[in-house]
Amino acid sequence: MSGIAGSARPGLGHGLKLQWEPAQDAHVLLFPEGMVKLNGSAGAIMSRCDGLRTVAEIVADLERAYGATGLAPDVEAFLALALQKRWLELRE
Amino acid sequence: MSLLPPLGAGLDAPGALPAQPARTPGPPLWLLLELTYRCPLHCVFCYNPTDFAGTGAELSTEDWRRVLREARALGAVQLGLSGGEPLAREDLEELVAEAHGLGFYINLITSGVGLSEARIAALKNAGLDHIQLSFQDSSREMNDFLSSTRTFDLKAQVAALIRKYDYPMVLNVVLHRHNIDHVGAILEMAERMGAQYVELANTQYYGWAWLNREQLLPSRAQLARAEAVTQAFRARVGNRMQVYFVVPDYFEVRPKACMSGLGSVFLAVAPDGTAMPCHAARMLPGLELPSVRTASVREIWYDSAAFNRFRGEQWMKEPCASCPERDKDHGGCRCQAYLLTGDAANADPVCDKSPYHHLVTAAVARAEQAVAAAGGAAGAQALRFRDHRISIPVVPETPAARR
């Protein structure tokens, strides 16, 4: 289990930038001297992590946008990875 | 400044897409602008050309702005502003503002000399994303000796300013025989300064570092100790600090995938406008490097002979041409192949399949002897400090007359 509370508000890590790059047809995460090209689902999750929305709200929004249900485990697994890599940090 | 950026860092991370195949070149995702060769420091390991004193005038502000616009239009997104010391350019803030407006992620690679509070505030205001600050060692004495300046206290003040203005802080320390035993103290210094990232970059032997290689290459025991200290430090601090340890490739048996392959993702522009597929490429003979003064970035990247010269595999010789690992390392570093063998199309001699690999192991053996003879604290009287008053042509170790 990831152990991330549904009420947590993930936001981008300190000094990171996330933007859509047409030349790469992808969301790209930019940080000091590094760059990660995100796949579609990672981009969809990360672009909703604005430090304002809760994990539960992000999951609900994704399920609405993609007409899917039961996304919470996948989203939480990705968030756990992104937190561990410091792409994201949790805000209260 | 002296670090080859860790290209492709994170590109293979989970959640990321695999890198594009090299067949049709993708965009120049990484743009490095070496704004000036002027620098107040005299570092013995600088990768700048040893004959930089003879290069032409620096590009104008308007030239650099055009390069930024053209490169961004092609898809460049990571921008390094380096040199020399980029703060020597009075238009730095203006260039940062232009780059920020275009959507670049902007890294300033600096010695910190010239970074007053007024300038750091102006750079923040202009949209600078991050500052990489170099230190030469953990102590005032060694830092100042290795840079041939009195700059340690100033750098410590700059580190405090970087934190005050809420930039992510990256400390970069180039490692070599004379400071590699201080890695523990260097990491503790970085921790005290509040660094988020630390790059312990073992010297790569180009430019002034190549001239000083016999005095800079560490011993295998020094390297092993430094790696063990780094591991222990990482275990203690967890993911609070990211510590990169760039291994010196002379101790390897397979070469690094230099620049992820020349002409694959990286484009550097020298102070005089010379465009290069890697920082060190201007020493390669026969590579007619284009200039942004006379060609667009698009023409340079996609059409110029220099940028196509080492793309793909057509240029490879044996043992690379039939090597099952050629996709992985692209034959290693062209500049190192030239410096050691006299032919840039040879396999990087770091590879133990190269017929010239003995040149690498012999250099390491000489380093072992030198360190042993000096009891670990090697003498440094023969070091050649970077200086604009002297211009030294680079000579390869083995002239390629036979090939």
Side-chain angles (χ1 to χ4, degrees):
Chain A
M1 275 308 292
S2 60
I4 302 171
S7 59
R9 300 174 196 275
L12 276 186
H14 181 231
L16 275 66
K17 258 170 133 174
L18 177 75
Q19 61 193 39
W20 175 261
E21 283 295 303
Q24 300 182 60
D25 194 26
H27 276 101
V28 170
L29 188 64
L30 297 156
F31 46 92
E33 291 167 78
M35 170 160 54
V36 172
K37 181 175 171 179
L38 298 171
N39 64 24
S41 42
I45 299 169
M46 288 283 290
S47 59
R48 286 167 170 79
C49 294
D50 54 10
L52 301 172
R53 282 182 266 198
T54 65
V55 173
E57 286 165 350
I58 289 167
V59 169
D61 189 31
L62 286 164
E63 289 181 341
R64 225 173 8 252
Y66 292 88
T69 53
L71 293 184
D74 285 349
V75 172
E76 284 172 21
F78 175 78
L79 292 179
L81 172 83
L83 286 166
Q84 189 259 324
K85 290 184 169 294
R86 302 215 140 198
W87 295 348
L88 294 173
E89 52 196 36
L90 295 180
R91 315 248 161 85
E92 290 312 313
Chain B
M1 306 316 301
S2 44
L3 180 75
L4 304 180
L7 290 179
L11 279 176
D12 58 352
L17 296 173
Q20 290 177 337
R23 210 134 292 157
T24 50
L29 298 175
W30 286 78
L31 178 66
L32 178 74
L33 304 186
E34 296 179 338
L35 296 175
T36 177
Y37 282 138
R38 287 175 283 154
C39 184
L41 303 194
H42 302 280
C43 298
V44 293
F45 47 74
C46 182
Y47 75 77
N48 279 169
T50 51
D51 53 0
F52 74 84
T55 54
E58 291 176 11
L59 292 183
S60 68
T61 308
E62 196 38 56
D63 287 333
W64 285 121
R65 293 166 70 118
R66 177 174 53 81
V67 170
L68 286 168
R69 287 193 299 272
E70 291 179 356
R72 181 69 185 130
L74 293 188
V77 61
Q78 269 286 0
L79 173 66
L81 298 175
S82 176
E85 172 50 65
L87 288 161
R89 289 279 304 209
E90 289 176 5
D91 56 359
L92 183 63
E93 289 81 350
E94 201 180 330
L95 297 175
V96 166
E98 174 84 25
H100 180 69
L102 291 166
F104 278 104
Y105 188 89
I106 310 162
N107 308 272
L108 178 66
I109 302 164
T110 180
S111 68
V113 179
L115 197 50
S116 62
E117 180 152 9
R119 283 200 92 179
I120 208 169
L123 288 165
K124 186 86 188 182
N125 198 38
L128 180 65
D129 290 291
H130 136 248
I131 297 173
Q132 179 194 297
L133 179 63
S134 67
F135 273 82
Q136 280 65 38
D137 207 326
S138 58
S139 74
R140 178 182 297 112
E141 290 72 24
M142 283 305 287
N143 179 84
D144 292 359
F145 170 68
L146 293 165
S147 62
S148 194
T149 54
R150 293 197 196 119
T151 51
F152 184 82
D153 293 339
L154 185 146
K155 284 166 181 280
Q157 290 162 18
V158 167
L161 278 178
I162 290 173
R163 211 168 35 181
K164 178 175 171 186
Y165 281 83
D166 200 35
Y167 288 102
M169 194 198 299
V170 179
L171 291 192
N172 169 259
V173 183
V174 175
L175 297 182
H176 46 74
R177 187 184 300 169
H178 306 291
N179 67 1
I180 193 167
D181 292 330
H182 310 162
V183 156
I186 289 169
L187 287 168
E188 284 162 22
M189 173 187 81
E191 188 181 16
R192 279 197 307 278
M193 289 178 173
Q196 220 176 321
Y197 305 82
V198 182
E199 292 176 355
L200 300 170
N202 273 279
T203 303
Q204 309 202 44
Y205 294 98
Y206 314 103
W208 298 85
W210 170 253
L211 295 182
N212 291 311
R213 184 187 64 167
E214 295 299 311
Q215 286 76 39
L216 294 180
L217 197 62
S219 73
R220 202 173 284 277
Q222 284 185 302
L223 181 61
R225 281 198 301 271
E227 287 187 294
V229 168
T230 303
Q231 275 307 341
F233 181 84
R234 282 192 187 121
R236 181 168 70 72
V237 301
N239 71 351
R240 192 154 48 83
M241 274 170 74
Q242 308 272 345
V243 182
Y244 302 104
F245 191 93
V246 182
V247 177
D249 57 1
Y250 272 54
F251 295 85
E252 306 280 347
V253 292
R254 286 291 177 274
K256 58 183 179 273
C258 196
M259 303 293 137
S260 309
L262 287 191
S264 162
V265 292
F266 184 81
L267 169 66
V269 183
D272 62 355
T274 302
M276 307 175 288
C278 97
H279 328 48
R282 77 187 295 163
M283 73 173 146
L284 296 178
L287 203 62
E288 282 185 38
L289 294 169
S291 170
V292 299
R293 290 185 196 276
T294 52
S296 71
V297 175
R298 174 180 290 279
E299 289 164 337
I300 287 167
W301 181 254
Y302 289 105
D303 304 334
S304 74
F307 278 75
N308 281 299
R309 173 74 179 86
F310 294 109
R311 279 189 176 131
E313 300 175 351
Q314 290 307 307
W315 58 271
M316 286 183 181
K317 298 180 174 185
E318 292 298 344
C320 296
S322 63
C323 179
E325 295 172 67
R326 65 187 185 280
D327 267 358
K328 204 168 88 186
D329 57 39
H330 315 289
C333 170
R334 298 303 89 226
C335 299
Q336 194 146 271
Y338 169 66
L339 283 173
L340 286 161
T341 78
D343 182 349
N346 276 335
D348 183 337
V350 160
C351 185
D352 66 5
K353 295 180 182 180
S354 160
Y356 294 95
H357 184 62
H358 65 277
L359 296 174
V360 172
T361 52
V364 170
R366 289 195 301 277
E368 301 287 346
Q369 287 168 5
V371 172
Q381 51 275 50
L383 287 167
R384 287 204 261 187
F385 292 90
R386 179 195 196 274
D387 199 313
H388 68 278
R389 290 165 300 187
I390 47 178
S391 178
I392 307 169
V394 164
V395 180
E397 183 165 338
T398 310
R402 290 165 288 150
R403 302 205 166 204

